[in-house]
Structures are given as C-alpha cells and as structure tokens.
Amino acid sequence: MNVVLFGPPGAGKGTQSALLIEHKSMKQISTGDLLRAAIKNQTALGQQAKSYMDKGELVPDQVVIGMVEEVLKADKHQNFIFDGFPRTAPQAEALAEMLKRLDMKLDRALFLEVPYDQLLTRLTGRRVCRSCGATYHVQSKPPKVDAICDVCGGEVIQRPDDKEDVIGTRLKAYEKNTEPLKDYYRAQGLFQSVDGTGTSEEVYQRLSREL
Ligand code: AMP
C-alpha cells in the first residue's frame, strides 16, 4: 500500500510516519529529511536547497521530484509513505506518472488536520536531534537531559526553519501550494482527512483505521 501523508507544517507527518514504519513495516520517503541529509553532506543539491529552506520557501519542483524518483527506482514495490511530498500540483502529477511508470499506484492520501493555533505552538516549541532526527517539544516532550537526545546522546537543537520569522513563510507556502492538493486527491477518491490533534498514539490509532 502506498500512502501520501500530507498536511501543514507541524501537523505531525514525521511523527506519524515513524509510527507507521514501526508498526506497519512501511518505508518513508520524506523529502524534508532527504534535503536535510543533502545539506549535512554538503552536496551540490543540498547547497541549492538550503537557501530556499532557510527562508521557509519550497525547493523547486524538479529538485524534489528527481530525489523521489531516485528512491522509487532503487526500491520499487515497497509500501511507501510519502511524507511531505507532493507539496505542489506539479509534484502530485509527477508522482502519479512515476508510480504509473513503475507499475505502482497510490492507495490513499491522508490529510492530518490540526488547527492553526496548535500548529504554531507545535512548531515554535519543536526541537530535533541533530544526529538521529528524533523530535522533542519544549513543553510536552522535553529530552530527559537538557539539549541531549534520549535516543542517541546527540545535540538537540531548534531547526533553523522552526524559528518564528520563518514559520509564517512556511505556512503561507503551504496554504498557496499544498492546500489545493486536498481537491486534487478528493477528485481521485483517494482523500481522507484525519484528526491530527491529541497525543501521537491517538492520532496513530485514527490513521491506522484508514489503512
Ligand atoms: P519538512 O521537513 O517536510 O517540514 O520540510 C522542510 C523544508 O524542506 C520545507 O519548508 C521546504 O523548504 C523543503 N521541502 C520539503 N519537502 C518539499 C517538497 N516536496 N517540495 C518543496 N520543498 C520541500
């Protein structure tokens, strides 16, 4: 089963993908994670993407489409969760074409619904481990030792694009480019909205009922 998991920044896509990987043996393709890895490894693609990401803008379609295509070609016929991809109409079209070429199909587009004020609280308080990517929140889930990751002992930091001045740009990019994908997937009968509020376990229970 191949699933698009989408929603505004801070909706919990990464957290829910991690749970789906753990419980349903799915494979995640997170374009955000792939881009951050490219930046960390100082590749040409990473350098190109960084300027967009730091500002909270979307990275050009062709860059992310190319990245996803590489993973799909190498690993086809897995159960994929597309996390944070597609984010634009051209990306959605490209995904449909790529899947068709590889004799695969999309089964669901699950949308995580979270009210705006909760998104802001989640994003401004989010912290991540620089090494393993584990996520924390200053209020609801702080690491046991300040700024040290519980999982791997790495440094826990605030993502540069979770700073307050960048969050506004990310939310606007979401509204303009990604929100319209609701209708795109609705028209294909793939769309399902899932209440993204509450604990990650509660959200996971709701999500897994749709799979
Ligand atoms: P995320 O980790 O999914 O919140 O993504 C972080 C940032 O990476 C976004 O704000 C964009 O700058 C970039 N990004 C991730 N996925 C995409 C995508 N599918 N299309 C364009 N930019 C993306």
Side-chain angles (χ1 to χ4, degrees):
M1 170 173 271
N2 298 303
V3 177
V4 162
L5 191 57
F6 74 123
K13 300 183 290 290
T15 304
Q16 293 305 320
S17 295
L19 291 168
L20 287 168
I21 294 165
E22 192 185 326
H23 299 296
K24 304 242 185 243
S25 311
M26 296 186 79
K27 186 174 166 94
Q28 175 194 28
I29 300 186
S30 159
T31 41
D33 285 351
L34 290 171
L35 290 165
R36 279 184 288 277
I39 292 174
K40 201 170 166 186
N41 297 330
Q42 298 185 325
T43 67
L45 187 150
Q47 276 160 13
Q48 193 192 347
K50 189 176 184 320
S51 57
Y52 295 95
M53 291 170 78
D54 284 350
K55 284 186 269 178
E57 293 170 4
L58 293 184
V59 173
D61 286 335
Q62 285 321 313
V63 175
V64 282
I65 291 168
M67 276 185 347
V68 172
E69 186 158 28
E70 262 180 48
V71 182
L72 276 180
K73 274 191 191 151
D75 250 348
K76 63 181 161 186
H77 300 309
Q78 299 254 3
N79 292 316
F80 282 108
I81 313 161
F82 296 95
D83 162 4
F85 178 91
R87 261 177 157 95
T88 66
Q91 290 179 22
E93 298 285 358
L95 176 62
E97 277 165 30
M98 285 190 277
L99 291 175
K100 200 171 165 196
R101 269 205 305 277
L102 295 167
D103 203 19
M104 296 164 68
K105 72 176 174 61
L106 196 62
D107 298 283
R108 292 267 196 296
L110 298 178
F111 178 79
L112 285 174
E113 188 107 42
V114 176
Y116 192 81
D117 57 333
Q118 284 193 38
L119 293 175
L120 285 183
T121 314
R122 286 185 186 188
L123 288 167
T124 50
R126 177 161 68 180
R127 300 292 182 268
V128 294
C129 172
R130 198 195 272 284
S131 307
C132 74
T135 54
Y136 298 91
H137 190 278
V138 284
Q139 277 140 19
S140 55
K141 194 189 163 199
K144 291 192 183 91
V145 180
D146 190 32
I148 306 287
C149 178
D150 297 349
V151 181
C152 76
E155 187 191 2
V156 173
I157 55 153
Q158 182 174 40
R159 259 170 57 172
D161 59 348
D162 278 346
K163 302 246 156 68
E164 232 165 314
D165 50 338
V166 183
I167 288 173
T169 311
R170 287 172 64 202
L171 288 167
K172 279 200 195 94
Y174 160 76
E175 273 161 31
K176 180 165 174 251
N177 300 287
T178 314
E179 176 97 12
L181 295 184
K182 284 181 174 180
D183 284 340
Y184 174 87
Y185 285 122
R186 224 177 245 128
Q188 297 181 16
L190 297 174
F191 179 82
Q192 181 65 52
S193 177
V194 175
D195 178 1
T197 62
T199 64
S200 49
E201 288 74 21
E202 284 165 348
V203 178
Y204 176 72
Q205 290 309 320
R206 291 180 208 127
L207 262 186
S208 51
R209 277 200 289 275
E210 303 299 337
L211 295 174

